[in-house]
Amino acid sequence: MHFFTYKKNKFYAEAVSIEKIAKEVGTPCYIYSHKTLTRHYAAFDEAFETVPHLICYSVKANSNISVLNTFIKAGSGVDIVSGGELFRSLKAGANPKKIVYSGVGKREDEIEYALKAGILMFNVESPEELRAINKIAGRLKKKAGFAIRVNPNVDPKTHPYVSTGLKKNKFGIETEQAIKEYVYAKNNLKNLTPIGVDCHIGSQLTQLSPFIDALKKTKEIITTLGSEGIEVKYLDMGGGLGITYKDENAPHPSKYGKAVIDATKRLGVTLIFEPGRVMVGNAGILVTKVLYTKQGTEKNFIIVDAAMNDLARPSLYGSYHAIKAVGKNSGKHVPADFKQGEITADVVGPICESGDFFAKDRELLYFKSGDLMAIMSAGAYGFSMSSNYNSRPRAAEVMVKGNKFSVIRERESYKDLIKGEDLAKS
Ligand code: LLP
């Protein structure tokens, strides 16, 4: 459910016309709907209202401080994977006691920063990392709360690049070894406190069964730890719940909630979740302007002013994003319901790579030069994965709230592009 809709053949974000935003802010620009963000948070939160839980929004999905602040105000914690994400989260007002820190390669300075900030726990991904955190905590005279991220060897049935819970993936520690590490830490690593067990098996999951299979293994670990005298307070289930980009039948958070609550009855733990995509994915769009159109003998092309540097997902994963017209296209009659199907074209950006596309052989309305296009479901892993490739300044980001909008990140300038660069000494 989102609040991007047509009113009299014009596309709106909540009560603001997208054409108006594009006129004032320029293109390409990301537009987020505040009401959609808060609704998504509430839907997830309500799904677990009957059990103790903590939502730690996964910052990597969309790390704009205004987006973070929206969730934080709603009660969310955050899941971070770098010192940079910690910095952003604190700036956005995150409560350190609601911060979990995941990732296979935490640097010493990042661990130190997180310990000083007083985060809730580190999700530890290797025995060496466990020892490193213990050492740094000792030096700082602090106790570090930790969970081991277990690799349950469960297939999440998603894109291989975002599948993380198989033995062949770099993530987590296999279950047998994880138990040994908890016991080792209890006996030897005195600056650590085991407070949780963590498991994240992948992203854009559209079935519930892999979550439940992983949960079975996590539960076994919690029980085994109990028999070793190690009581953990938290079970962190990671993120991963999928969304509808095209026709995927992703389970609603309430369904996910019911299945998880059923599977964790009488475990006596607080559940932690690290949702990213399901919070922001359908709450954001990328608005771009058509520069040119051209007809080849084999293909039609619509060339727009956004590119793979702005939204990498189609190039990187071949992922589908719906495309909608923002206004009345091209003076031609456009049906009121904006039915697609007038031409078949590739929608491409200006970057010098054939991989720079948003859609391939897509049935679309007839777009002409100057028309605006909305690339849907771009709120997650859109701006946060954007780059300056081809020396393209990164797009502006806009937040719409009711009938108002604010620029929450200015479009980068050419000057921004060379910030920090210098000529070598001769
Ligand atoms: N927790 C951990 C430890 C993660 O690695 C991730 C995502 C999440 C939570 C949030 O997962 P979500 O709820 O968003 O599925 N760039 C890819 C997605 C990469 C996901 C990486 N990890 C994409 O655009 O599809």
Side-chain angles (χ1 to χ4, degrees):
M1 172 81 200
H2 61 72
F3 295 94
F4 296 98
T5 46
Y6 285 106
K7 291 177 195 164
K8 293 192 187 134
N9 278 358
K10 290 206 180 286
F11 205 36
Y12 276 71
E14 300 186 21
V16 184
S17 134
I18 294 192
E19 212 164 53
K20 183 176 169 205
I21 298 174
K23 216 175 198 170
E24 282 183 37
V25 177
T27 54
C29 71
Y30 276 96
I31 301 178
Y32 310 123
S33 151
H34 187 266
K35 195 170 168 186
T36 311
L37 295 172
T38 50
R39 188 189 172 106
H40 286 174
Y41 182 84
F44 206 99
D45 202 27
E46 278 159 22
F48 294 98
E49 66 187 354
T50 59
V51 296
H53 69 279
L54 171 65
I55 298 174
C56 292
Y57 164 68
S58 190
V59 174
K60 65 178 81 65
N62 187 318
S63 49
N64 185 289
I65 56 171
S66 179
V67 172
L68 298 182
N69 180 257
T70 301
F71 292 132
I72 289 165
K73 271 191 176 151
S76 190
V78 289
D79 156 51
I80 58 165
V81 290
S82 69
E85 287 191 350
L86 176 55
F87 177 77
R88 282 180 174 281
S89 303
L90 295 174
K91 282 273 173 221
N95 174 354
K97 282 287 147 233
K98 291 186 182 177
I99 299 182
V100 298
Y101 188 175
S102 314
V104 293
K106 304 177 187 77
R107 282 198 321 250
E108 190 173 330
D109 61 300
E110 292 177 311
I111 294 169
E112 194 172 316
Y113 182 21
L115 282 168
K116 285 183 177 159
I119 67 164
L120 176 64
M121 69 180 183
F122 291 87
N123 286 338
V124 175
E125 306 224 17
S126 66
E128 285 192 8
E129 183 194 330
L130 197 64
R131 284 151 188 75
I133 296 172
N134 180 60
K135 202 167 144 197
I136 299 164
R139 176 156 44 77
L140 297 177
K141 301 196 171 33
K142 291 198 183 285
K143 276 243 171 196
F146 80 92
I148 288 182
R149 175 171 178 179
V150 291
N151 182 324
N153 198 30
V154 165
D155 184 355
K157 301 186 179 80
T158 182
H159 191 287
Y161 286 10
V162 295
S163 155
T164 56
L166 287 166
K167 281 189 184 176
K168 65 179 176 187
N169 300 132
K170 68 178 174 180
F171 300 96
I173 302 179
E174 291 178 28
T175 48
E176 292 287 298
Q177 200 188 357
I179 292 166
K180 285 189 190 139
E181 286 299 316
Y182 277 105
V183 174
Y184 179 84
K186 182 185 168 203
N187 296 329
N188 302 286
L189 306 176
K190 299 296 172 197
N191 309 309
L192 300 181
T193 315
I195 58 171
V197 176
D198 169 47
C199 183
H200 167 84
I201 54 173
S203 196
Q204 183 55 12
L205 272 71
T206 52
Q207 296 173 31
L208 288 177
S209 54
F211 286 115
I212 303 305
D213 292 348
L215 202 47
K216 263 188 210 139
K217 303 223 175 166
T218 327
K219 274 166 48 183
E220 278 168 26
I221 294 174
I222 293 179
T223 312
T224 311
L225 290 181
S227 64
E228 296 281 350
I230 302 169
E231 297 293 336
V232 294
K233 181 164 180 227
Y234 299 101
L235 194 179
D236 183 342
M237 293 217 23
L241 194 58
I243 62 169
T244 304
Y245 286 97
K246 189 181 182 187
D247 47 18
E248 304 89 336
N249 205 355
H252 188 270
S254 58
K255 246 185 155 177
Y256 170 72
K258 199 177 168 321
V260 171
I261 291 171
D262 279 354
T264 50
K265 264 189 202 138
R266 287 182 290 280
L267 208 53
V269 291
T270 296
L271 298 172
I272 294 182
F273 300 95
E274 304 170 357
R277 191 188 313 267
V278 73
M279 295 282 155
V280 288
N282 284 323
I285 61 173
L286 173 61
V287 177
T288 180
K289 188 154 79 185
V290 176
L291 298 174
Y292 308 106
T293 61
K294 71 173 173 182
Q295 277 83 45
T297 49
E298 274 191 29
K299 288 246 186 193
N300 297 314
F301 294 98
I302 300 175
I303 303 156
V304 298
D305 69 354
M308 65 189 279
N309 75 297
D310 299 302
L311 176 66
R313 303 193 71 258
S315 312
L316 202 52
Y317 317 113
S319 48
Y320 179 98
H321 287 263
I323 287 179
K324 292 187 184 271
V326 167
K328 266 198 167 152
N329 278 2
S330 74
K332 284 184 76 169
H333 171 70
V334 178
D337 58 355
F338 280 81
K339 274 218 174 72
Q340 314 234 327
E342 289 195 7
I343 59 162
T344 300
D346 284 11
V347 178
V348 301
I351 282 183
C352 302
E353 295 205 24
S354 293
D356 179 24
F357 62 87
F358 294 117
K360 291 254 186 205
D361 297 318
R362 186 77 63 86
E363 284 193 359
L364 290 164
L365 291 167
Y366 181 82
F367 280 91
K368 71 166 183 6
S369 172
D371 286 340
L372 293 172
M373 185 184 268
I375 302 175
M376 303 302 290
S377 314
Y381 307 106
F383 188 91
S384 65
M385 288 175 71
S386 67
S387 76
N388 290 123
Y389 188 39
N390 276 210
S391 284
R392 290 168 49 84
R394 275 182 296 173
E397 291 178 285
V398 169
M399 179 76 80
V400 171
K401 262 191 198 183
N403 59 5
K404 294 201 176 61
F405 75 89
S406 339
V407 175
I408 57 169
R409 193 178 204 272
E410 282 177 11
R411 180 178 310 288
E412 284 179 344
S413 66
Y414 288 153
K415 227 169 143 189
D416 292 332
L417 288 179
I418 56 164
K419 181 167 179 270
E421 289 186 27
D422 210 345
L423 304 179
K425 291 186 184 75
S426 56

